[in-house]
Structures are given as structure tokens and as C-alpha cells.
Coordinates of all heavy atoms in Angstrom, one line a residue:
M1 N 67.3 -86.6 7.9 CA 68.6 -86.7 8.7 C 69.0 -85.2 8.8 O 69.1 -84.4 8.0 CB 69.7 -87.4 7.9 CG 71.0 -87.5 8.7 SD 72.2 -88.5 7.7 CE 73.6 -87.5 8.0
N2 N 69.5 -85.0 10.1 CA 70.0 -83.6 10.3 C 71.5 -83.6 10.0 O 72.1 -84.6 9.8 CB 69.8 -83.2 11.7 CG 68.4 -83.1 12.1 OD1 67.7 -82.6 11.3 ND2 68.0 -83.5 13.3
Q3 N 72.0 -82.4 9.9 CA 73.4 -82.3 9.6 C 74.2 -82.7 11.0 O 73.9 -82.3 12.0 CB 73.7 -80.8 9.2 CG 75.3 -80.5 9.1 CD 75.4 -79.2 8.4 OE1 75.0 -78.9 7.4 NE2 76.1 -78.4 9.3
I4 N 75.3 -83.3 10.8 CA 76.2 -83.8 11.8 C 77.5 -83.2 11.6 O 78.1 -83.2 10.4 CB 76.3 -85.3 12.0 CG1 75.0 -85.9 12.2 CG2 77.4 -85.6 13.1 CD1 75.0 -87.5 12.0
Q5 N 78.1 -82.5 12.6 CA 79.3 -81.7 12.3 C 80.2 -81.9 13.5 O 79.9 -81.9 14.6 CB 79.0 -80.1 12.2 CG 80.2 -79.3 11.9 CD 79.8 -77.9 11.5 OE1 78.7 -77.6 11.2 NE2 80.8 -77.1 11.5
T6 N 81.5 -82.1 13.1 CA 82.6 -82.2 14.0 C 83.6 -81.1 13.7 O 83.4 -80.4 12.8 CB 83.3 -83.6 14.0 OG1 84.0 -83.7 12.8 CG2 82.3 -84.7 14.2
E7 N 84.7 -81.1 14.4 CA 85.7 -80.1 14.1 C 86.3 -80.2 12.6 O 86.6 -79.2 12.0 CB 86.9 -80.2 15.0 CG 88.0 -79.3 14.9 CD 89.1 -79.4 16.0 OE1 88.7 -79.7 17.1 OE2 90.2 -79.3 15.6
R8 N 86.2 -81.5 12.1 CA 86.8 -81.7 10.8 C 86.0 -82.2 9.7 O 86.3 -82.4 8.5 CB 88.0 -82.6 10.9 CG 89.2 -82.1 11.8 CD 90.2 -83.1 12.0 NE 90.6 -83.7 10.8 CZ 91.4 -84.9 10.8 NH1 91.6 -85.5 11.9 NH2 91.7 -85.4 9.6
L9 N 84.6 -82.5 10.1 CA 83.7 -83.2 9.1 C 82.4 -82.7 9.3 O 81.9 -82.3 10.4 CB 83.8 -84.7 9.4 CG 82.9 -85.6 8.6 CD1 83.5 -85.6 7.2 CD2 82.9 -87.0 9.2
I10 N 81.7 -82.5 8.1 CA 80.3 -82.2 8.1 C 79.6 -83.2 7.3 O 79.9 -83.6 6.1 CB 80.0 -80.8 7.4 CG1 80.7 -79.7 8.3 CG2 78.5 -80.6 7.3 CD1 80.6 -78.4 7.5
L11 N 78.6 -84.0 7.8 CA 77.8 -85.0 7.2 C 76.4 -84.4 7.1 O 75.8 -83.9 8.1 CB 77.8 -86.3 8.0 CG 79.1 -87.0 8.3 CD1 78.8 -88.2 9.2 CD2 79.6 -87.5 6.9
R12 N 75.9 -84.3 5.9 CA 74.5 -83.9 5.6 C 73.9 -84.7 4.4 O 74.7 -85.3 3.7 CB 74.5 -82.4 5.3 CG 75.4 -82.1 4.0 CD 75.2 -80.7 3.6 NE 76.0 -80.5 2.4 CZ 75.8 -80.9 1.2 NH1 74.8 -81.6 0.9 NH2 76.7 -80.5 0.3
P13 N 72.7 -84.7 4.3 CA 72.0 -85.4 3.2 C 72.4 -84.8 1.9 O 72.6 -83.6 1.9 CB 70.6 -85.2 3.5 CG 70.4 -84.9 4.9 CD 71.7 -84.2 5.2
V14 N 72.4 -85.6 0.8 CA 72.7 -85.0 -0.5 C 71.6 -84.1 -0.9 O 70.5 -84.3 -0.5 CB 72.9 -86.2 -1.5 CG1 71.7 -86.9 -1.7 CG2 73.4 -85.7 -2.8
D15 N 72.0 -83.0 -1.6 CA 71.0 -82.0 -2.1 C 71.2 -82.0 -3.7 O 72.3 -81.7 -4.1 CB 71.3 -80.8 -1.4 CG 70.3 -79.8 -2.0 OD1 69.1 -79.5 -1.4 OD2 70.7 -79.0 -3.0
V16 N 70.1 -82.1 -4.4 CA 70.2 -82.1 -5.8 C 70.9 -80.8 -6.4 O 71.9 -80.9 -7.2 CB 68.8 -82.3 -6.5 CG1 69.0 -82.1 -8.0 CG2 68.2 -83.6 -6.1
E17 N 70.5 -79.6 -6.0 CA 71.0 -78.5 -6.5 C 72.4 -78.2 -6.1 O 73.3 -77.9 -6.7 CB 70.1 -77.3 -6.2 CG 68.7 -77.3 -6.8 CD 68.9 -77.4 -8.5 OE1 69.7 -76.8 -9.0 OE2 68.0 -78.1 -9.1
R18 N 72.7 -78.4 -4.8 CA 74.0 -78.1 -4.2 C 75.1 -79.1 -4.6 O 76.2 -78.7 -4.7 CB 73.8 -78.1 -2.6 CG 75.2 -77.7 -2.0 CD 75.1 -77.9 -0.4 NE 74.1 -77.3 0.3 CZ 74.1 -77.3 1.6 NH1 75.1 -77.8 2.3 NH2 73.2 -76.8 2.3
D19 N 74.7 -80.3 -4.8 CA 75.8 -81.4 -4.9 C 75.9 -81.8 -6.4 O 76.8 -82.7 -6.8 CB 75.4 -82.5 -4.1 CG 75.5 -82.1 -2.6 OD1 76.4 -81.4 -2.2 OD2 74.6 -82.6 -1.8
A20 N 75.1 -81.3 -7.4 CA 75.2 -81.9 -8.7 C 76.5 -81.7 -9.4 O 77.1 -82.5 -10.1 CB 74.0 -81.3 -9.6
A21 N 77.1 -80.5 -9.2 CA 78.4 -80.2 -9.8 C 79.4 -81.1 -9.3 O 80.3 -81.6 -10.0 CB 78.8 -78.7 -9.6
F22 N 79.4 -81.3 -8.0 CA 80.4 -82.2 -7.4 C 80.2 -83.6 -7.9 O 81.2 -84.4 -8.2 CB 80.3 -82.2 -5.8 CG 81.1 -83.2 -5.2 CD1 82.5 -83.2 -5.0 CD2 80.5 -84.4 -4.7 CE1 83.3 -84.2 -4.5 CE2 81.2 -85.4 -4.2 CZ 82.7 -85.3 -4.0
V23 N 79.0 -84.2 -7.9 CA 78.6 -85.5 -8.4 C 79.1 -85.7 -9.9 O 79.6 -86.7 -10.2 CB 77.1 -85.9 -8.2 CG1 76.8 -87.1 -8.8 CG2 76.9 -86.0 -6.7
L24 N 78.9 -84.7 -10.6 CA 79.3 -84.7 -12.0 C 80.8 -84.9 -12.1 O 81.3 -85.7 -12.8 CB 78.9 -83.5 -12.7 CG 79.3 -83.3 -14.2 CD1 78.7 -84.5 -15.1 CD2 78.9 -82.0 -14.8
Q25 N 81.5 -84.1 -11.3 CA 82.9 -84.1 -11.3 C 83.4 -85.5 -10.8 O 84.3 -86.1 -11.4 CB 83.6 -83.0 -10.5 CG 85.0 -83.0 -10.4 CD 85.6 -81.9 -9.5 OE1 84.8 -81.1 -9.0 NE2 86.9 -81.9 -9.4
M26 N 83.0 -86.0 -9.8 CA 83.3 -87.3 -9.1 C 83.1 -88.4 -10.1 O 84.0 -89.2 -10.2 CB 82.5 -87.5 -7.9 CG 82.9 -88.9 -7.2 SD 81.7 -89.2 -5.8 CE 80.1 -89.5 -6.6
L27 N 82.0 -88.5 -10.7 CA 81.6 -89.6 -11.6 C 82.4 -89.6 -12.9 O 82.5 -90.5 -13.6 CB 80.2 -89.5 -11.9 CG 79.1 -89.9 -10.8 CD1 77.7 -89.8 -11.3 CD2 79.4 -91.2 -10.1
N28 N 83.1 -88.5 -13.2 CA 84.0 -88.4 -14.4 C 85.4 -88.4 -14.1 O 86.2 -88.2 -15.1 CB 83.5 -87.3 -15.2 CG 82.2 -87.5 -15.9 OD1 82.2 -88.2 -16.9 ND2 81.1 -86.9 -15.4
E29 N 85.8 -88.6 -12.9 CA 87.2 -88.7 -12.5 C 87.8 -90.0 -13.2 O 87.1 -91.1 -13.1 CB 87.5 -88.8 -11.0 CG 87.2 -87.6 -10.3 CD 88.3 -86.5 -10.6 OE1 89.6 -87.0 -10.8 OE2 88.0 -85.3 -10.5
P30 N 88.9 -89.9 -13.8 CA 89.4 -91.1 -14.6 C 89.5 -92.4 -13.5 O 89.3 -93.5 -13.9 CB 90.8 -90.7 -15.1 CG 90.6 -89.2 -15.2 CD 89.8 -88.8 -14.2
D31 N 90.0 -92.1 -12.4 CA 90.2 -93.2 -11.3 C 88.8 -93.9 -11.0 O 88.7 -95.0 -10.7 CB 90.8 -92.7 -10.1 CG 92.4 -92.6 -10.4 OD1 92.9 -93.1 -11.3 OD2 93.0 -91.7 -9.5
Y32 N 87.8 -93.0 -10.8 CA 86.5 -93.4 -10.5 C 85.9 -94.4 -11.6 O 85.5 -95.5 -11.5 CB 85.5 -92.3 -10.3 CG 84.1 -92.7 -9.8 CD1 83.8 -92.8 -8.5 CD2 83.2 -93.2 -10.7 CE1 82.6 -93.3 -8.0 CE2 81.9 -93.6 -10.3 CZ 81.6 -93.6 -8.9 OH 80.4 -94.1 -8.6
I33 N 86.1 -93.9 -12.9 CA 85.6 -94.7 -14.0 C 86.4 -96.0 -14.1 O 85.8 -97.1 -14.3 CB 85.8 -93.8 -15.4 CG1 84.8 -92.6 -15.3 CG2 85.6 -94.7 -16.6 CD1 84.9 -91.6 -16.4
E34 N 87.7 -95.9 -13.9 CA 88.6 -97.1 -14.0 C 88.3 -98.1 -12.9 O 88.2 -99.3 -13.1 CB 90.0 -96.8 -14.0 CG 90.9 -98.0 -14.2 CD 92.4 -97.6 -14.1 OE1 92.7 -96.4 -14.4 OE2 93.2 -98.5 -13.8
N35 N 88.1 -97.7 -11.6 CA 88.0 -98.4 -10.5 C 86.7 -98.8 -10.0 O 86.4 -99.8 -9.3 CB 88.9 -98.0 -9.3 CG 90.3 -97.9 -9.7 OD1 90.9 -98.9 -10.1 ND2 90.9 -96.7 -9.7
V36 N 85.6 -97.9 -10.3 CA 84.3 -98.2 -9.9 C 83.4 -98.5 -11.2 O 83.0 -99.7 -11.3 CB 83.8 -97.0 -9.2 CG1 82.2 -97.2 -8.8 CG2 84.6 -96.7 -8.0
A37 N 83.1 -97.5 -11.9 CA 82.3 -97.7 -13.2 C 82.1 -96.4 -13.9 O 82.3 -95.4 -13.3 CB 80.9 -98.3 -12.8
D38 N 81.8 -96.5 -15.1 CA 81.5 -95.3 -15.9 C 80.0 -95.3 -16.0 O 79.3 -96.1 -16.6 CB 82.0 -95.5 -17.4 CG 81.7 -94.3 -18.2 OD1 81.0 -93.3 -17.8 OD2 82.3 -94.1 -19.3
R39 N 79.4 -94.4 -15.3 CA 78.0 -94.2 -15.0 C 77.4 -93.5 -16.2 O 76.2 -93.4 -16.3 CB 77.6 -93.4 -13.8 CG 78.2 -94.1 -12.5 CD 77.6 -95.4 -12.2 NE 78.1 -95.9 -10.9 CZ 78.1 -97.2 -10.5 NH1 77.5 -98.1 -11.4 NH2 78.5 -97.5 -9.4
G40 N 78.1 -92.9 -17.1 CA 77.6 -92.3 -18.4 C 77.0 -90.9 -18.0 O 76.2 -90.4 -18.7
V41 N 77.3 -90.3 -16.9 CA 76.8 -89.0 -16.5 C 77.7 -88.0 -17.0 O 78.9 -87.9 -16.6 CB 76.6 -88.9 -14.9 CG1 76.2 -87.6 -14.5 CG2 75.7 -90.0 -14.4
R42 N 77.2 -87.2 -18.0 CA 78.2 -86.2 -18.7 C 77.7 -84.8 -18.7 O 78.4 -83.9 -19.0 CB 78.3 -86.6 -20.1 CG 78.8 -88.0 -20.4 CD 80.3 -88.1 -20.1 NE 80.8 -89.4 -20.4 CZ 81.0 -90.4 -19.6 NH1 80.6 -90.3 -18.3 NH2 81.4 -91.6 -20.0
T43 N 76.5 -84.6 -18.1 CA 75.9 -83.2 -18.0 C 75.5 -82.9 -16.5 O 75.2 -83.8 -15.8 CB 74.8 -82.9 -18.9 OG1 73.7 -83.8 -18.5 CG2 75.1 -83.3 -20.3
L44 N 75.3 -81.6 -16.3 CA 74.8 -81.2 -15.0 C 73.4 -81.8 -14.7 O 73.1 -82.3 -13.6 CB 74.8 -79.7 -14.7 CG 74.7 -79.3 -13.4 CD1 75.7 -79.7 -12.5 CD2 74.8 -77.6 -13.4
E45 N 72.7 -81.7 -15.7 CA 71.2 -82.2 -15.7 C 71.2 -83.8 -15.4 O 70.4 -84.3 -14.6 CB 70.4 -81.9 -16.8 CG 68.9 -82.2 -16.7 CD 68.3 -81.4 -15.4 OE1 68.6 -80.3 -15.2 OE2 67.5 -82.2 -14.7
A46 N 72.1 -84.4 -16.2 CA 72.2 -85.9 -15.8 C 72.6 -86.2 -14.4 O 72.2 -87.1 -13.8 CB 73.2 -86.5 -16.8
A47 N 73.6 -85.4 -13.9 CA 74.0 -85.5 -12.5 C 72.9 -85.3 -11.5 O 72.8 -86.1 -10.5 CB 75.2 -84.6 -12.1
K48 N 72.0 -84.4 -11.8 CA 70.8 -84.1 -10.9 C 69.9 -85.3 -11.0 O 69.4 -85.7 -9.9 CB 70.2 -82.8 -11.4 CG 70.9 -81.6 -11.1 CD 70.1 -80.5 -11.6 CE 71.0 -79.1 -11.5 NZ 70.2 -77.9 -11.9
E49 N 69.7 -85.9 -12.1 CA 68.9 -87.0 -12.3 C 69.5 -88.3 -11.6 O 68.8 -89.1 -10.9 CB 68.7 -87.3 -13.8 CG 67.4 -88.3 -14.0 CD 66.2 -87.8 -13.5 OE1 65.9 -86.6 -13.3 OE2 65.4 -88.7 -13.1
Y50 N 70.8 -88.3 -11.7 CA 71.5 -89.5 -11.0 C 71.3 -89.4 -9.5 O 71.0 -90.4 -8.8 CB 73.0 -89.5 -11.3 CG 73.8 -90.5 -10.6 CD1 74.0 -91.8 -11.3 CD2 74.4 -90.4 -9.4 CE1 74.6 -92.8 -10.8 CE2 75.2 -91.3 -8.8 CZ 75.2 -92.6 -9.5 OH 76.0 -93.6 -8.9
I51 N 71.4 -88.2 -8.9 CA 71.1 -87.9 -7.5 C 69.7 -88.4 -7.1 O 69.5 -89.1 -6.2 CB 71.4 -86.5 -7.1 CG1 72.9 -86.2 -7.2 CG2 70.9 -86.2 -5.7 CD1 73.2 -84.7 -7.1
R52 N 68.8 -87.9 -8.0 CA 67.4 -88.2 -7.7 C 67.1 -89.7 -7.8 O 66.3 -90.2 -7.0 CB 66.4 -87.5 -8.7 CG 66.3 -86.0 -8.6 CD 65.3 -85.4 -9.5 NE 65.5 -84.0 -9.6 CZ 66.2 -83.3 -10.7 NH1 66.6 -84.1 -11.7 NH2 66.4 -82.1 -10.7
Q53 N 67.6 -90.4 -8.7 CA 67.3 -91.9 -9.0 C 68.1 -92.8 -8.1 O 67.6 -93.9 -7.8 CB 67.4 -92.2 -10.3 CG 66.3 -91.5 -11.2 CD 66.4 -91.9 -12.7 OE1 67.1 -92.8 -13.1 NE2 65.6 -91.3 -13.6
K54 N 69.4 -92.5 -7.9 CA 70.3 -93.4 -7.3 C 70.7 -93.0 -5.9 O 71.0 -94.0 -5.2 CB 71.6 -93.5 -8.1 CG 71.5 -93.9 -9.6 CD 70.9 -95.3 -9.7 CE 70.8 -95.7 -11.1 NZ 70.3 -97.0 -11.3
M55 N 70.7 -91.8 -5.5 CA 71.2 -91.3 -4.2 C 70.1 -91.1 -3.3 O 70.2 -91.5 -2.1 CB 72.1 -90.3 -4.4 CG 73.4 -90.6 -5.2 SD 74.4 -89.1 -5.5 CE 75.5 -89.2 -4.1
L56 N 69.0 -90.4 -3.6 CA 68.0 -90.1 -2.7 C 67.1 -91.2 -2.3 O 66.7 -91.1 -1.2 CB 67.1 -88.9 -3.3 CG 67.8 -87.5 -3.4 CD1 66.9 -86.5 -4.1 CD2 68.3 -87.0 -2.1
P57 N 66.8 -92.2 -3.1 CA 65.9 -93.2 -2.6 C 66.4 -93.8 -1.3 O 65.6 -94.2 -0.4 CB 65.9 -94.2 -3.7 CG 66.1 -93.4 -4.9 CD 67.1 -92.3 -4.5
G58 N 67.7 -94.0 -1.1 CA 68.3 -94.6 0.1 C 67.9 -93.8 1.4 O 67.5 -94.2 2.4
H59 N 68.0 -92.4 1.2 CA 67.6 -91.5 2.3 C 66.2 -91.6 2.6 O 65.8 -91.6 3.8 CB 68.0 -90.1 1.9 CG 69.5 -89.8 1.9 ND1 70.1 -89.6 3.0 CD2 70.4 -89.7 0.9 CE1 71.4 -89.3 2.8 NE2 71.6 -89.4 1.5
E60 N 65.4 -91.7 1.5 CA 63.9 -91.7 1.6 C 63.5 -93.0 2.3 O 62.6 -93.0 3.2 CB 63.3 -91.4 0.4 CG 63.5 -90.0 -0.1 CD 63.1 -89.8 -1.6 OE1 62.7 -90.8 -2.3 OE2 63.3 -88.7 -2.1
R61 N 64.0 -94.1 1.9 CA 63.6 -95.4 2.4 C 64.1 -95.8 3.7 O 63.5 -96.4 4.5 CB 64.0 -96.5 1.4 CG 63.0 -96.8 0.4 CD 63.2 -98.0 -0.5 NE 63.2 -97.5 -1.9 CZ 64.0 -97.7 -2.8 NH1 65.1 -98.3 -2.6 NH2 63.8 -97.2 -4.1
Y62 N 65.4 -95.5 3.9 CA 66.2 -96.1 5.0 C 66.7 -95.0 6.0 O 67.3 -95.3 7.1 CB 67.4 -96.9 4.6 CG 67.0 -98.0 3.6 CD1 67.4 -98.0 2.3 CD2 66.1 -99.0 3.9 CE1 67.0 -98.9 1.4 CE2 65.7 -99.9 3.1 CZ 66.1 -100.0 1.8 OH 65.8 -100.8 0.8
G63 N 66.6 -93.8 5.6 CA 67.1 -92.6 6.5 C 68.6 -92.4 6.3 O 69.2 -91.6 7.0
V64 N 69.3 -93.3 5.5 CA 70.7 -93.1 5.2 C 71.1 -93.4 3.8 O 70.2 -93.8 3.1 CB 71.5 -94.2 6.1 CG1 71.4 -94.1 7.6 CG2 71.1 -95.6 5.7
G65 N 72.1 -92.9 3.4 CA 72.5 -93.1 1.9 C 73.9 -92.4 1.8 O 74.7 -92.2 2.7
Y66 N 74.1 -92.0 0.6 CA 75.4 -91.5 0.1 C 75.7 -90.3 1.0 O 74.9 -89.5 1.3 CB 75.4 -91.1 -1.3 CG 75.5 -92.1 -2.2 CD1 74.4 -92.6 -2.9 CD2 76.7 -92.7 -2.7 CE1 74.5 -93.7 -3.8 CE2 76.9 -93.7 -3.6 CZ 75.6 -94.3 -4.2 OH 75.7 -95.2 -5.1

């Protein structure tokens, strides 16, 4: 998937190195844990693995994902 950009939004595929810190922060937000789930991701390396195992397969299989 190529990047799609509008005046206010940029959509791009998830990237392990670029997005790991954000994913780590997001998965540990109290509201996320309370309302979605506690994924048990507590380190940057665990966030990278979460991206590889949970987020990238959809992109690879279907061309879309997170």
C-alpha cells in the first residue's frame, strides 16, 4: 500500500521501527486497557513483536490492516 495523504491526514502502512514506540504507548493507555484489552505489551521489543505478529499479517494477506 502506498501512502495516502490529504490536507489533514496521512495513511500509511505500519512500520515496525517507526511505530513501535507509539504502539507501546497506545497499548498501555489506561483507557485502552480498560475498554479494549490489556495486551501485556510492556517493552519496546514486545511492541515490535506485536506489530510483526498482530498488525503486519493483515497487510501482507489482504493489503489492508491497522
